[in-house]
Amino acid sequence: MAASNKDRDEELNYLLPGYINGQLPPEQRQQVDAWLDSSPQAGEQLRSWQQIHTALQGRPVRTPPSGIWLALERRVFHNDVRRGSSAASLLAGFALAAITLVLLWLTIRPGVLLQWTVNSDSLAAYRIYRAHGDSQEFVLLGEIDSKPGEMRYTYLDVLSLPGQRYIYQVEGVTPSGVSIVSQRVASQPLTALPGQLAILISSLVLGILAAIMVRNWDTARLPRLLPT
């Protein structure tokens, strides 16, 4: 209860300046009147506010020069445009970097390239499996149909991760569906890393350049946007 009375006293105290100036609505004015009648401390606070009000009445009202308001407006506007320019430049850089990364990855297709040669074209297809490191848990990556007269086949593993060592296994599938296991091939951890790093770095550099260009363009345009 004491805490609620203290909060009420603080709320009513904030109404005293409006009470003195006659700006309170009737309901709030009645609340302040009741508070003043029931609390001697409220009367002291009212007298303090009345002294402040009397002291300020004789003071002349001074308006800052128009140049100060203009400089303040320009500064606030300048900061708002700067923040918008930074966000736009970051967004443009990220978008270009992402688009470049996807396009280069689909065009260059960095990864581990598998090549094998067959002695005949009697098989119907070839299935490519992959396992991590020394694991024996092979996962099917894809299947290539056999082509008449074709003796050399290739498969590009574009889902290989940088720095990972993989073991690949190619199964030949006969027309009747019987699998013939070929020898396994181990890839080195850094086989696909150079191409992948080149694409990542190129995308990042283009993204940074795009962000810088957008920011410089907005900065050059800023003087024309500022209010005069």
Side-chain angles (χ1 to χ4, degrees):
M1 181 66 66
S4 61
N5 289 337
K6 181 179 180 181
D7 294 339
R8 186 203 62 176
D9 291 345
E10 290 180 355
E11 293 178 0
L12 293 173
N13 185 37
Y14 291 143
L15 298 178
L16 288 179
Y19 178 85
I20 297 172
N21 294 327
Q23 297 174 343
L24 292 183
E27 181 179 355
Q28 289 184 343
R29 189 169 186 85
Q30 291 176 2
Q31 293 177 359
V32 175
D33 287 333
W35 178 52
L36 292 173
D37 293 338
S38 62
S39 174
Q41 186 178 3
E44 295 179 0
Q45 295 177 354
L46 177 62
R47 286 189 290 274
S48 298
W49 279 112
Q50 287 174 336
Q51 292 175 358
I52 296 175
H53 177 73
T54 303
L56 292 177
Q57 279 186 330
R59 299 272 180 162
V61 179
R62 297 181 179 179
T63 303
S66 58
I68 295 180
W69 288 113
L70 179 60
L72 181 60
E73 291 178 357
R74 289 171 62 90
R75 188 177 186 84
V76 172
F77 186 80
H78 183 276
N79 291 336
D80 291 342
V81 174
R82 284 288 188 185
R83 284 192 292 269
S85 174
S86 299
S89 61
L90 290 176
L91 181 60
F94 177 80
L96 182 59
I99 294 174
T100 303
L101 177 63
V102 173
L103 292 178
L104 289 179
W105 204 279
L106 294 177
T107 302
I108 302 177
R109 294 172 62 101
V112 178
L113 180 64
L114 302 178
Q115 297 179 341
W116 65 94
T117 304
V118 298
N119 297 325
S120 66
D121 56 357
S122 60
L123 297 175
Y126 300 93
R127 294 172 183 166
I128 298 89
Y129 295 85
R130 185 184 71 182
H132 289 270
D134 297 328
S135 173
Q136 299 300 316
E137 298 180 1
F138 285 87
V139 178
L140 179 63
L141 293 180
E143 182 175 316
I144 300 177
D145 293 332
S146 176
K147 299 179 182 179
E150 187 73 29
M151 299 300 173
R152 169 171 287 188
Y153 292 87
T154 61
Y155 180 84
L156 181 63
D157 179 15
V158 296
L159 300 179
S160 59
L161 298 177
Q164 295 290 326
R165 180 177 179 270
Y166 299 103
I167 299 177
Y168 295 91
Q169 177 175 289
V170 179
E171 286 185 355
V173 183
T174 64
S176 61
V178 178
S179 299
I180 302 175
V181 180
S182 68
Q183 67 178 8
R184 297 175 181 179
V185 179
S187 70
Q188 298 301 319
L190 301 181
T191 300
L193 185 60
Q196 293 172 342
L197 282 180
I199 292 177
L200 291 174
I201 293 175
S202 300
S203 303
L204 181 61
V205 170
L206 286 177
I208 293 175
L209 291 177
I212 294 175
M213 291 178 62
V214 171
R215 185 170 180 82
N216 290 341
W217 181 76
D218 284 341
T219 301
R221 197 166 56 102
L222 184 59
R224 296 194 299 271
L225 293 175
L226 290 176
T228 56

